[in-house]
Amino acid sequence: MAGHSKWANIQHRKGRQDAARSKLFSKLSREITVAAKMGDPDPEKNPRLRLAVKEAKSNSVPKDVIERAIKKSLAGDGDDYEEIRYEGYGPNGVAVIVEAMTDNRNRTASNVRSIFSKHGGNLGETGSVGFMFERKGEILYRPEAGDADTIMMAALEAGAEDVESISEGHTIWCADLDLNDVASSLETELGESEATKLIWKPTTTTELDLDSMQKLMKLVDSLEDDDDVQRVTTNFEASDEVMLALQEM
């Protein structure tokens, strides 16, 4: 799964450099508002809100923006939003999951379908690619958090299922329902993580060459540029040579 970690790092760096900060802040704020609306407005009593706030902080969202998003939930904002998952196929049959949060289901569905078509993909029915993924918790730590053995030991003691350590950092996976407990335990042992979130982890992957990877990046970028789309996940696999070529572009 090394390719996926490298892809995440490319996206992460690219996002820091190129993404419109206001759009990113808006999406993260929306998640905070909805999470607070669905549970307790206190992050310590609401695991989903705690994760949303943590992700916002990892993306440098100011404290006052986070507090304002929580207060919106108390004022009734977020009532009209619903969470929708779209599934489809991208270049070379790669599976794509699109998670959206919208107050207009028809608008969002139309936009997502149009983006898939424009970039040579196909929007499928719910469940058409979901069986190729598992819902997992993902916790990211920087390289300086410790060596591979230290991270592995801490992760296993915290109840994690798997760990991948590469030069760019450490990725720890756990059962989705265990994410809050595992993350809290690791925080005590290793300090604050770089990111903590629920993800769709591929169980089956599709190998892509450089041309297909470039097409996939355009599809993912276009989907993520839509205001209603919160997160995009794919099940690609690519060689080290392809990933290196992408990094150098």
Side-chain angles (χ1 to χ4, degrees):
M1 302 296 289
H4 295 281
S5 295
K6 292 174 183 175
W7 168 254
N9 281 306
I10 289 174
Q11 283 187 308
H12 187 63
R13 286 194 295 269
K14 183 176 183 299
R16 288 296 178 91
Q17 294 168 2
D18 303 333
R21 305 306 292 170
S22 59
K23 179 167 287 190
L24 177 61
F25 285 7
S26 176
K27 292 185 179 189
L28 293 171
S29 295
R30 183 183 301 177
E31 167 62 22
I32 290 172
T33 299
V34 171
K37 187 69 181 178
M38 292 175 66
D40 195 289
D42 181 356
E44 295 304 315
K45 300 177 182 177
N46 183 337
R48 175 171 173 172
L49 177 57
R50 183 171 180 268
L51 292 176
V53 169
K54 189 174 185 64
E55 185 172 2
K57 287 181 177 178
S58 73
N59 283 280
S60 304
V61 176
K63 183 179 179 181
D64 64 314
V65 174
I66 293 173
E67 292 175 347
R68 193 157 58 242
I70 293 175
K71 288 179 180 177
K72 281 186 177 181
S73 71
L74 302 176
D77 287 18
D79 287 350
D80 298 331
Y81 286 111
E82 60 177 320
E83 295 173 289
I84 305 174
R85 187 175 81 244
Y86 299 98
E87 301 179 20
Y89 292 93
N92 203 34
V94 66
V96 182
I97 291 181
V98 181
E99 296 172 88
M101 193 176 290
T102 180
D103 58 357
N104 188 324
R105 179 187 284 260
N106 291 334
R107 177 193 67 220
T108 307
S110 177
N111 289 348
V112 170
R113 184 177 295 107
S114 175
I115 292 170
F116 267 94
S117 297
K118 181 179 179 182
H119 293 279
N122 293 290
L123 184 62
E125 299 293 328
T126 300
S128 59
V129 304
F131 65 93
M132 301 183 206
F133 299 81
E134 290 180 326
R135 193 64 162 161
K136 294 292 182 183
E138 181 184 76
I139 305 164
L140 305 179
Y141 273 94
R142 299 181 190 277
E144 52 267 29
D147 59 31
D149 289 340
T150 299
I151 300 299
M152 176 66 79
M153 187 64 67
L156 292 177
E157 290 180 353
E161 296 178 343
D162 197 10
V163 180
E164 180 183 72
S165 294
I166 57 177
S167 59
E168 289 90 346
H170 310 280
T171 303
I172 300 166
W173 291 287
C174 64
D176 55 346
L177 297 179
D178 295 340
L179 179 57
N180 191 55
D181 290 341
V182 172
S184 296
S185 178
L186 285 171
E187 205 166 285
T188 300
E189 187 71 22
L190 302 173
E192 190 167 353
S193 64
E194 183 178 10
T196 300
K197 57 190 174 184
L198 287 168
I199 63 159
W200 292 100
K201 186 182 180 185
T203 56
T204 301
T205 58
T206 298
E207 182 79 19
L208 297 183
D209 58 18
L210 181 57
D211 181 60
S212 295
M213 279 299 301
Q214 288 177 296
K215 292 177 180 177
L216 177 61
M217 288 180 71
K218 290 178 181 178
L219 170 61
V220 172
D221 284 346
S222 294
L223 286 167
E224 290 183 337
D225 197 44
D226 186 275
D227 290 339
D228 296 332
V229 172
Q230 294 291 104
R231 187 173 291 112
V232 181
T233 307
T234 75
N235 76 332
F236 88 92
E237 190 62 79
S239 67
D240 290 341
E241 290 77 16
V242 169
M243 299 307 296
L244 183 60
L246 284 173
Q247 285 179 300
E248 293 175 346
M249 287 181 175

